[in-house]
Amino acid sequence: MKQEIHPDYHTINVVMTDGTTFETRSTWGSEGETMTLEIDPSSHPAWTGGKRSGVEGGQVAGFKKRFGGFSLKK
């Protein structure tokens, strides 16, 4: 590894939204700093099963919905 081109990799403390803490290694901040999360797996809808937005189904489902009534048979 080349010297002096990589960021400092050190241990930090992470505080989750529910108050639990853990120690990990990161390039964020400086040695021993505390990162407080605003969103984490215990509070974000992507992990908690919250309301989905956007496209329901895939491309095939959309095609069948749009063109399901058409037929090539005579």
Side-chain angles (χ1 to χ4, degrees):
M1 226 167 52
K2 289 185 179 179
Q3 298 298 319
E4 299 179 19
I5 65 167
H6 298 283
D8 180 35
Y9 194 59
H10 48 270
T11 58
I12 63 166
N13 297 311
V14 178
V15 179
M16 307 278 271
T17 57
D18 63 358
T20 58
T21 63
F22 65 93
E23 187 175 271
T24 188
R25 292 181 49 84
S26 175
T27 58
W28 179 86
S30 59
E31 180 75 31
E33 269 193 80
T34 300
M35 175 188 286
T36 304
L37 300 179
E38 295 176 8
I39 298 174
D40 65 19
S42 65
S43 66
H44 193 278
W47 290 289
T48 60
K51 182 180 176 186
R52 287 182 151 188
S53 63
V55 179
E56 295 288 327
Q59 290 181 350
V60 174
F63 181 84
K64 286 181 180 179
K65 180 180 176 184
R66 190 174 304 140
F67 301 109
F70 291 111
S71 176
L72 297 175
K73 298 179 183 178
K74 288 187 177 185

